[in-house]
Amino acid sequence: MVHHARGLPAVKAHALLAGLTFLPYVVHIPYSVNIVLHAALTVYVGSWRSVRDADGGGGPQEQMTNSDAMRFPLVGSCVLFGLFLCFKFLPKELVNLLLAGYITIIGAVVVVGAVLPFVERLFPAKERDRVIRFLTVPKIPFLVKEPFPLELTVPEAALAPPALAVGVWYFLTKGWLANNLLGLSLSIVGIEAMSLGSMQTAGILLTGLFFYDIFWVFCTPVMVSVAKNFEAPIKLLFPRSSLRAAALAGEKAQFAMLGLGDIVLPGLFVALCLRFDAQRQFRSSYFQTVFWAYCGGVAATIVVMNVFKAAQPALLYIVPAVLGAVALHAALRGEFKAVYEWQEEAADSGAADSAAGAGADGGSGAAAANKKAE
């Protein structure tokens, strides 16, 4: 797939997130603070990367429908329970070998996607879009339905070896840093590439996930059991104590965890609100409202977890925070109906019309968005 060079939104936030990821090797960060900062910066970065350029570059490529949103918690429940049964009746090592290997390969691919907007600008313009065909992937029963060519642009081909090295590093060591590099890439690219499509779809999805999270955490041991047994980059890990002190004492470091679903799924809604503001030329500020509500929901999860010394369903606190904040904001502005009925597809067509006239004053919504991100 050919990628076009585009703006680099939220560069400072990218740098902060990268620094925060490696910082525990230098200085201990309280895990509660670390969780909130990682979740907030990841959602912020993914949201700004999802804002589509005036020429259509970047932004979400897949859009969810209302029926997809209704099915999502049901499908997720089946997958979760299926994993629980696999860990219960099959050798844990075998299950992790198969699943971790599959997810690690996907993770290596998204590492390329996460870094690509920064690296491709280092190449000459004619090299950015030049496609290299490596081989044709054959049809594989149950995995690949139809043969397809494996093609990479020059920047993607340059990034592939280090990205695969990160995947191999994780697969061989299961180290927390390699895990987080893959998990953060999955989260950022997931928020960037997927759109909830409309505020109605977002409401349906998050409401369903609200009850999904409560049921599987509070009513059954399934969620916690799978999270503890599943050795794959589907969660972020945060050292509970100083890594240096643990190493000097010859002790194994202990980690707190945050599931990627608690970042990506509400992050899709935060990103949707940002694109809603962008489509309005930032005459509204729903993104600010929902972003800080998300941060508050994550912080509330950590507080309750520490008070009760038990795992908490993060969406129990995040979903009411983000949906309630946007609903209250819209009600106070007297535009609840307009916000509730907004659909991104219609907004994109409108944005395409307005982009033609943007050249008259030398500006564009995407350029303004990128400037505002900083």
Side-chain angles (χ1 to χ4, degrees), residues 9 44 47-52 270-288 329 333 335 364-374:
Y44 188 88
S47 296
W48 279 105
R49 287 173 62 127
S50 78
V51 177
R52 189 175 294 276
V270 176
L272 185 71
C273 291
L274 175 59
R275 296 194 298 275
F276 176 74
D277 285 343
Q279 190 262 334
R280 290 179 151 203
Q281 302 297 315
F282 293 98
R283 290 189 297 270
S284 58
S285 56
Y286 287 94
F287 171 68
Q288 295 181 27
H329 187 155
R333 288 176 60 95
E335 52 187 24
S364 72
N370 290 354
K371 184 176 180 181
K372 190 175 181 66
E374 296 305 322

Side-chain angles (χ1 to χ4, degrees), residues 25-36:
Y25 275 120
V26 180
V27 60
H28 175 61
I29 306 172
Y31 73 89
S32 298
V33 175
N34 209 358
I35 290 175
V36 175

Side-chain angles (χ1 to χ4, degrees), residues 121-244:
R121 303 177 76 85
L122 304 177
F123 289 81
K126 64 179 181 180
E127 294 295 321
R128 294 174 191 164
D129 296 338
R130 186 164 69 87
V131 175
I132 303 173
R133 174 174 290 191
F134 289 89
L135 52 87
T136 298
V137 179
K139 181 179 180 180
I140 302 175
F142 306 108
L143 293 177
V144 180
K145 294 182 178 180
E146 298 293 338
F148 67 90
L150 178 60
E151 299 176 338
L152 297 175
T153 62
V154 172
E156 289 171 339
L159 285 172
L164 287 172
V166 173
V168 172
W169 175 26
Y170 171 78
F171 189 77
L172 295 178
T173 67
K174 300 298 188 295
W176 73 271
L177 180 57
N179 173 90
N180 284 7
L181 291 176
L182 294 174
L184 289 170
S185 298
L186 283 164
S187 299
I188 291 170
V189 174
I191 295 172
E192 177 185 10
M194 174 66 73
S195 169
L196 296 181
S198 70
M199 296 295 183
Q200 292 183 32
T201 302
I204 293 170
L205 176 67
L206 291 179
T207 300
L209 291 172
F210 172 79
F211 292 105
Y212 162 91
D213 222 20
I214 292 173
F215 174 77
W216 289 113
V217 173
F218 283 153
C219 302
T220 76
V222 171
M223 180 81 78
V224 175
S225 175
V226 170
K228 289 181 177 179
N229 286 294
F230 199 176
E231 295 179 355
I234 59 167
K235 52 185 180 276
L236 299 183
L237 301 174
F238 306 94
R240 286 182 173 271
S241 58
S242 170
L243 292 175
R244 183 177 302 177

